[in-house]
Amino acid sequence: MNALPVSDAESARRREDVLRELNLYPLWQLRNVPVTTNVPEVPAVAVAAAELRAEQTVVSEVPHADIGSLNWPELKKRVQDCTACKLRAGCTQTVFGTGDENADWLFVGSWPSEDDDAKGEPFAGPAGQLLDNMLAAIKLQRGVNVYLANVVKCSGSIKHSPQADEIAQCSPYLARQIQLIQPKMIVALGHAAATALLGEDREWSSLLGKVHDYRESSKVGLQQSIPLVVTHHPAALLLTPLNKAQTWRDLCLARDTMPCPVSDAG
Ligand code: SF4
C-alpha cells in the first residue's frame, strides 16, 4: 500500500520539531536569512588592491620542521607571523582558534569567514550564532570545555578560497593544536574540514552518521585515538536548513560517543 502524502501542515510541524530540537524555533523564522550563495559585490579597486598585495607577498619557507615542540604561546606566535602561503595577503589577521585549551570537545571548520577575519575569532557572525545554538542543543557552550578552530588560519582574498596546497600548508598548525588540546571528541564541520582531518577526500554522504578515527587516518602520533564525527558547517546550514535534521543526529552521535556524559554548561 502506498504511503499517504504528507500534508503541508504536517511537513511544517515536523520542521518545527527539528528546529526546536536545535533550539532554533522561532528564532529561525525571525532571522530571515537570505538564501543566496552569491559573493557580495566588491568595488573593483578593492579587488585590485587585494590582488596586488597577494602578488607582493613574499612566501616564506615552510615553517613546520619544529612544530611538534611548540607550546601554546609559541604556536600562536608562529601562526601570527606566518606568510607561508598567499592567503596571508588577503586577510586582515590570522584566526588562530579560541576556547578552552584543555577542552574535551574540538569543533573544526574549514577557513575563516569575513566575520571571523574582522573579529579574529573562528565562527563569528550568523554562522557562529547558529553554532552556539548547536552547542547549546547538546548542553555545550562556547569557551566552556569547547575549543573552536579552522583548518586554515587565513581567510584568503575576496576571489580566492583556499586551494588544496594551501590547506596542506596550514594543516600542521591544526595538528599541533590537537596534540596540545588532546580532545576526547572532534566534530568536523563541513567537507573541507573532514578531508583535512581524515587525510583523504571521501564522498560526503559516506562521512555522515558515523564515528571516524582521527588518529588512525592522520597518524599524528597521539597516544590515544580520538573519535571524530562529521556534520554540516553552520554556514551551509544557513543556506540549507533542511540539513539540520541530519546535523542533530550527528551531534547526538558525538554526544553519545563521548566516554563521559555531557553536563550542563550553564
Ligand atoms: Fe600561514 Fe596558514 Fe595563513 Fe597560509 S593560511 S599564511 S599557511 S597561517
Side-chain angles (χ1 to χ4, degrees), residues 94-110:
T94 54
V95 179
F96 179 78
T98 187
D100 181 351
E101 294 173 354
N102 298 303
D104 289 338
W105 290 81
L106 171 63
F107 288 76
V108 180
S110 48

Side-chain angles (χ1 to χ4, degrees), residues 181-261:
I181 298 168
Q182 305 245 357
K184 293 188 172 70
M185 169 61 68
I186 300 174
V187 179
L189 299 167
H191 198 176
T195 300
L197 289 163
L198 294 173
E200 60 179 329
D201 187 0
R202 300 182 197 168
E203 192 177 335
W204 175 243
S205 60
S206 74
L207 293 169
L208 302 172
K210 292 178 190 163
V211 179
H212 306 270
D213 186 344
Y214 168 70
R215 179 190 178 213
E216 183 180 287
S217 301
S218 56
K219 296 181 174 56
V220 294
L222 290 167
Q223 296 300 312
Q224 297 185 343
S225 69
I226 302 174
L228 184 150
V229 169
V230 179
T231 196
H232 296 274
H233 192 287
L237 289 175
L238 290 174
L239 298 174
T240 315
L242 283 178
N243 286 335
K244 285 173 185 164
Q246 176 62 49
T247 300
W248 172 240
R249 289 193 289 273
D250 294 328
L251 291 175
C252 289
L253 174 64
R255 179 196 60 193
D256 296 342
T257 303
M258 284 292 278
C260 48

